[in-house]
Amino acid sequence: MRTITDVRQRDRLEAARERKRLRRYNRERLVRNAPLLATSGTVIAIAFWMALTR
């Protein structure tokens, strides 16, 4: 017989584990997309600079 506190605690543990997994996944995705973001940011910055100095 499981009590409601047991169920609640297990839910909280699973939620924490899920959050941790999501955070790690987001960090990996950020690291993977960092070069792409840097290049697009550089291109935008150069275009902006050329538009300003023209």
Side-chain angles (χ1 to χ4, degrees), residues 7-54:
V7 172
R8 227 177 253 152
Q9 196 167 5
R10 209 185 66 236
D11 283 352
R12 201 158 48 223
L13 276 172
E14 283 180 4
R17 202 176 302 131
E18 187 72 18
R19 264 200 309 275
K20 212 177 285 177
R21 205 170 54 74
L22 267 175
R23 211 170 27 232
R24 188 163 51 232
Y25 169 71
N26 282 342
R27 192 164 54 231
E28 284 173 7
R29 207 173 56 187
L30 256 180
V31 166
R32 221 176 292 132
N33 287 348
L36 196 127
L37 281 172
T39 49
S40 63
T42 308
V43 168
I44 289 170
I46 289 173
F48 190 64
W49 181 251
M50 287 173 79
L52 272 181
T53 53
R54 199 162 33 141

